[in-house]
Amino acid sequence: LDSATPVAITEYLRANPPTGQVFNPQWWGDWLVWDGPDELRPFVTTNMHVVPQQVWQDYHIILGARSGWQGALERYNVETIVIDKNRQTVLAGLLRRSGSWRTAFEDEQGMVVRKRTDATAAESEDPAAPDTDAPLDATEQAHSSSRSQPHA
């Protein structure tokens, strides 16, 4: 295996299977499908030619932590996010500061972030921390929920 393969992340995910949609970097999608738990539902894989255009656009909004990224995660009911720490530094930083997400696993290569439940989010919120989960515009919540399925 190449040193860029996120082996420890899939080991963690097999031991702690995610529920719901998983947001992941496209370049790790095939590995997550191949080595992750059977029920894992990655957002995208290298088969992006079969991904609907709106899903692909939303993927890039989330990946780049651009305006509307939180709303896009909500639209797809994402409960777990897999981060490549070397290539997703902005998103990783925003998630670390968010009261809505918690780091469940981390190594030198990446991290797995899980959506907090209402109870755990309320307990851990820092009133001085920036509100990274506030909706950025009203149109984000108007979109219907859809999801990408694994492309094996």
Side-chain angles (χ1 to χ4, degrees), residues 1-143:
L1 294 174
D2 183 277
S3 64
T5 304
V7 175
I9 287 176
T10 52
E11 287 174 358
Y12 170 81
L13 291 171
R14 281 194 316 271
N16 304 276
T19 59
Q21 185 68 59
V22 175
F23 182 83
N24 60 280
Q26 172 267 327
W27 54 92
W28 283 356
D30 292 346
W31 174 258
L32 295 174
V33 169
W34 188 77
D35 195 49
D38 291 338
E39 61 275 6
L40 184 112
R41 294 181 19 228
F43 201 83
V44 292
T45 66
T46 57
N47 293 319
M48 56 256 188
H49 61 281
V50 298
V51 174
Q53 183 176 1
Q54 185 61 55
V55 174
W56 189 240
Q57 290 171 348
D58 289 339
Y59 166 77
H60 282 283
I61 288 170
I62 299 166
L63 186 72
R66 295 190 304 215
S67 177
W69 68 273
Q70 303 99 326
L73 288 170
E74 287 295 321
R75 272 195 299 283
Y76 297 97
N77 298 313
V78 171
E79 297 180 12
T80 302
I81 302 175
V82 174
I83 296 284
D84 178 341
K85 290 184 355 183
N86 296 317
R87 295 173 69 181
Q88 296 175 274
T89 56
V90 174
L91 183 57
L94 288 171
L95 290 167
R96 284 182 199 283
R97 291 188 302 275
S98 172
S100 297
W101 298 90
R102 66 175 176 83
T103 302
F105 172 83
E106 183 169 7
D107 66 5
E108 66 283 342
Q109 186 174 31
M111 56 196 267
V112 176
V113 182
R114 303 269 174 132
K115 190 172 192 175
R116 291 184 187 273
T117 63
D118 289 338
T120 58
E123 291 171 7
S124 64
E125 283 188 19
D126 177 358
D131 185 5
T132 60
D133 296 314
L136 297 176
D137 62 63
T139 61
E140 292 174 354
Q141 295 178 1
H143 293 282

